[in-house]
Every structure is written in structure tokens, then in C-alpha cells.
Amino acid sequence: GAVVSQHPSRVICKSGTSVKIECRSLDFQATTMFWYRQFPKKSLMLMATSNEGSKATYEQGVEKDKFLINHASLTLSTLTVTSAHPEDSSFYICSARGLAGEQYFGPGTRLTVT
Amino acid sequence: LAKTTQPISMDSYEGQEVNITCSHNNIATNDYITWYQQFPSQGPRFIIQGYKTKVTNEVASLFIPADRKSSTLSLPRVSLSDTAVYYCLVVQNSGNTPLVFGKGTRLSVIA
């Protein structure tokens, strides 16, 4: 099946710094990618929809200036957590939509802000 | 999107068949049902998808009654490695709507 990768898999950063997470569709082109956040023992929460070549669409309550999303190519979307704080510590998961509409998920990125 | 309701948790012994039922009373005509599996600290993995009646693959079976207001994921002869959270999702057949996850069912398989 289709493969979606994320980098890094784990990152620890200091409060106030910014962190960039990459999401790549390795063997297919994805005009649409999605970003989710998941807290321990909770379900995935949709943060935003990333569209290639246009601005991302953010879910209610997600600050677009804090979670910057860029989808510059058909195989890469990036999520930048700006001025990270401990409450941003979470598991971030991306997914990419294939041509037939199916969604493939990445392995996730564990962010810890100290 | 139709809201889904699943049991929060289930326990099973190894070797048993596990059936997880999901309610989706407000499912629309063009919606289909998809199930995902998630292990700790990993992204969700697609298990099975169906529109009506029965679908079977190498991993599971999905039973959907005629009214489509519920569905049952059946895992034959579970093993310890099937311990995971299982999510039932109702997906629109058209458009680019993202997958919206409910709370899922935490399955614990015991030796």
C-alpha cells in the first residue's frame, strides 16, 4: 500500500522555540494532506487540511499563526509549531489522500516541549 | 458526518473471535463505513471498508445490516498483537472531507 512518512519521529525542544514536522507521501502524489493531534489515551483531533498550492484550512479552535502549514509540493506538507509551549506537547499525525480518495496515515511525531 | 458510537473498551482471550459493534444512526445514502486500527505511538492503519452486507479481507470481516445504522467489525482468533484501539468512521463518498475520529474501542487481548 501507499506509504506516508513523517520526520522527525521524536523531537524535544525548549519552550519558546519553533519546531518543523515534515509529512511526505513516498509513492503517490497527494493534493490534500491532513494534520491531526493526539493526546495520551485520547482520539485523533483534526487540526487542519493542507491543500497543495493554497492556504490550509484550520479547524475551529486551532490557531493558524501558531501552527503554520505549508504544502509546497504534491508530496510534502510541513507543520511548524511556533513558539512552542509545554501544552503543545503531543503526538502529531499527518495523513495524505490518494487519487481514489483513500487516506493513508504517517507514523506520527512525538513532540515534547520542556 | 454521521456520529459514531462504540464501546469504550473490550477484553478478550487469545484465540477468540472478537466482534466490535458501531452505531451510526444518521448515516447518509452515499456514506460508507471504514475501520482503522491504532497501536500506541503509531498512526492509524486501515483495516476494512464497506457499504452494505458483508466484506471480508485477510484481516477482518465487516457486517453491515440492511438499514446500515450499525456495523460490526469481526476479528477472527485474536492474538496478543491485536491489542489496539479500533476506530469506526463514516466517510462521505464524495468530496475531500477529512476523516473524523470518534473515541474508538480499546481492545485488550489477554493470554
Side-chain angles (χ1 to χ4, degrees):
Chain A
V3 177
V4 175
S5 70
Q6 285 184 236
H7 178 79
S9 58
R10 291 176 174 270
V11 57
I12 300 173
C13 71
K14 292 186 176 181
S15 187
T17 61
S18 295
V19 173
K20 180 185 285 188
I21 303 170
E22 293 184 348
C23 176
R24 293 182 185 273
S25 55
L26 297 184
D27 50 2
F28 66 102
Q29 294 183 330
T31 56
T32 305
M33 292 184 175
F34 305 96
W35 287 95
Y36 295 82
R37 179 167 55 180
Q38 186 175 33
F39 294 106
K41 297 193 183 300
K42 299 293 185 181
S43 184
L44 285 77
M45 291 170 36
L46 179 67
M47 298 176 67
T49 300
S50 171
N51 300 299
E52 188 266 337
S54 65
K55 291 184 179 181
T57 304
Y58 290 82
E59 295 299 301
Q60 190 173 7
V62 179
E63 300 175 57
K64 65 180 186 336
D65 294 331
K66 180 168 185 60
F67 298 99
L68 300 178
I69 292 173
N70 184 277
H71 194 155
S73 78
L74 288 172
T75 58
L76 173 64
S77 175
T78 60
L79 168 68
T80 301
V81 183
T82 63
S83 187
H85 288 95
E87 58 265 30
D88 298 324
S89 298
S90 188
F91 191 53
Y92 292 86
I93 306 170
C94 74
S95 70
R97 183 188 298 279
L99 286 177
E102 69 281 20
Q103 271 189 241
Y104 303 98
F105 286 83
T109 297
R110 173 78 57 195
L111 170 64
T112 303
V113 184
T114 62
Chain B
L1 289 174
K3 181 181 177 181
T4 59
T5 303
Q6 309 172 228
I8 294 175
S9 64
M10 294 181 70
D11 294 333
S12 175
Y13 287 103
E14 273 192 299
Q16 290 188 326
E17 178 184 81
V18 171
N19 296 307
I20 306 174
T21 297
C22 177
S23 296
H24 27 79
N25 291 318
N26 296 324
I27 190 168
T29 303
N30 291 332
D31 293 342
Y32 53 94
I33 298 124
T34 304
W35 285 78
Y36 278 80
Q37 174 193 56
Q38 186 183 28
F39 297 113
S41 296
Q42 294 187 27
R45 184 175 75 105
F46 172 85
I47 301 176
I48 198 166
Q49 176 179 290
Y51 183 80
K52 61 181 179 180
T53 62
K54 177 183 175 182
V55 179
T56 297
N57 61 23
E58 64 276 8
V59 177
S61 294
L62 178 59
F63 298 93
I64 305 168
D67 66 5
R68 305 202 324 122
K69 293 183 183 298
S70 67
S71 58
T72 298
L73 174 72
S74 181
L75 304 173
R77 298 180 297 282
V78 294
S79 63
L80 295 176
S81 62
D82 292 317
T83 295
V85 179
Y86 292 82
Y87 294 97
C88 162
L89 295 90
V90 171
V91 183
Q92 288 185 347
N93 194 31
S94 60
N96 288 317
T97 55
L99 296 178
V100 177
F101 286 77
K103 296 182 178 180
T105 297
R106 188 172 299 274
L107 173 65
S108 298
V109 180
I110 309 163

